Amino acid sequence: MGDRQKFTILRSIRRGGPHRVWAVSSIHGEAEALGRLHRELTGRLRYGDRLVYLGNLIGRGPAVAATVDALLRFRGLFMARPDTFACDVVHLRGSQEEMWQKLLQLQFATDPRAVLQWMLDQGVAATLESYGFSPTEGLREAAAGPRQLTRWTSALRQGIQDHPGHWQLLGGLRRAAYSPPPGQDQDAGPAGAPPSNAPWGLLFVNAGLDPNRPLEAQKDSFWWGSSGFSCLAAPYGGYRRVVRGFCPQHPGLELGEFTATVDAGCGFGGPLLAACFTEDGELVEQIEA
């Protein structure tokens, strides 16, 4: 997997004002909250704005399939704006999407029933049910042997593909997105930190990262590295601010010197948040839905 498949470099744009990026917290299948946020966001968008969904699009909530439908519709509306391109709206992979990908390969697990039960406890049950599959049936198939389980995961893939655009969106998620350094656009060089002595730009992740690893070596730290995120006491890789969309404590909109958490517990009884940042890390707007 190349860097282009892992990361998105957000296009920098100067005409019409500073480059701004909207970051949307974990949605967790809460389609109604997402609809409210999209309606509010529509009236606040400016020329040149970018949009990043910070992962955990699915799982836990009651309307996962409807959430993906809403994401697809809004992406079309967002891209219809003047001088807007597909790379200007980014969907990150979160822990829910990572578990979902592992679920589709469950037949290769050493103890598939135990793995599935853990996933169900973490919120995957809601995604299964939204696509018309029973968690109880999944547990039964997981105990029936690899051949039977392979049939079940194949049916699950087909169930997703029966929803137009869902397979493509869930299969095209990025691990992180970042602002390019001054003078560099999305076509220049591999993913990496901006070559600047002063902190600059934004890095967007799902739950965290390991401060001791470079961006291309983070792997699972993006969705399981919340403890490392809280230890950031200096600019990571030269980025002015690292923005995440999930925190186990769901603190709301929380700004550190070099970090930002955007998570008020959507999917856990809290609202859905969006925050807008300039390229230098300044928070300029926020939405709660």
Side-chain angles (χ1 to χ4, degrees):
M1 179 181 291
D3 287 332
R4 296 300 177 193
Q5 295 172 289
K6 297 178 182 179
F7 309 112
T8 290
I9 306 176
L10 298 165
R11 291 189 313 127
S12 187
I13 186 164
R14 299 300 177 185
R15 187 178 65 166
H19 175 189
R20 309 190 322 165
V21 185
W22 285 93
V24 180
S25 68
S26 295
I27 304 165
H28 283 126
E30 297 284 355
E32 290 188 5
L34 181 60
R36 293 192 298 271
L37 185 138
H38 280 163
R39 288 190 291 273
E40 179 70 21
L41 180 59
T42 299
R44 299 204 195 185
L45 290 173
R46 295 183 184 176
Y47 178 85
D49 281 1
R50 310 296 187 234
L51 177 60
V52 179
Y53 296 91
L54 298 168
N56 291 335
L57 315 172
I58 63 177
R60 294 197 179 277
V64 169
T67 295
V68 179
D69 284 336
L71 291 169
L72 290 166
R73 286 194 301 270
F74 197 77
R75 183 174 66 177
L77 293 171
F78 190 88
M79 289 171 54
R81 300 160 60 242
D83 297 325
T84 302
F85 299 88
C87 59
D88 296 335
V89 54
V90 184
H91 302 89
L92 297 187
R93 176 184 293 192
S95 58
Q96 289 294 326
E97 291 78 33
E98 175 67 5
M99 287 187 289
W100 188 250
Q101 290 299 316
K102 293 293 190 291
L103 176 62
L104 297 176
Q105 305 171 57
L106 188 62
Q107 64 268 23
F108 300 112
T110 302
D111 188 349
R113 195 180 190 285
V115 171
L116 178 55
Q117 184 61 66
W118 180 82
M119 290 180 176
L120 296 177
D121 293 341
Q122 302 304 311
V124 170
T127 303
L128 277 173
E129 291 169 347
S130 187
Y131 283 108
F133 289 82
S134 166
T136 301
E137 178 187 2
L139 289 169
R140 184 170 62 249
E141 299 297 342
R147 180 176 298 180
Q148 190 69 18
L149 183 54
T150 299
R151 293 194 187 99
W152 185 74
T153 56
S154 297
L156 182 55
R157 287 190 184 89
Q158 186 59 53
I160 303 169
Q161 292 170 359
D162 288 342
H163 291 72
H166 287 217
W167 183 262
Q168 290 77 7
L169 188 146
L170 294 174
L173 302 174
R174 296 297 187 260
R175 298 187 182 186
Y178 63 89
S179 306
Q184 177 180 311
D185 61 22
Q186 73 277 16
D187 296 321
S196 173
N197 293 326
W200 189 94
L202 303 165
L203 172 63
F204 298 92
V205 300
N206 170 238
L209 47 74
D210 183 345
N212 299 313
R213 293 182 179 180
L215 191 64
E216 63 273 12
Q218 290 294 323
K219 298 184 178 179
D220 288 357
S221 298
F222 285 128
W223 33 89
W224 305 118
S226 60
S227 59
F229 183 89
S230 63
C231 295
L232 284 175
Y236 171 79
Y239 291 99
R240 176 64 187 85
R241 193 179 294 280
V242 183
V243 182
R244 67 172 173 178
F246 177 77
C247 173
Q249 289 74 42
H250 316 300
L253 181 56
E254 183 176 73
L255 297 179
E257 187 174 359
F258 307 107
T259 62
T261 296
V262 187
D263 180 16
C266 189
F268 296 84
L272 180 63
L273 299 183
C276 185
F277 299 90
T278 61
E279 288 175 303
D280 60 4
E282 180 186 359
L283 173 68
V284 289
E285 289 196 62
Q286 57 186 293
I287 297 172
E288 179 178 308

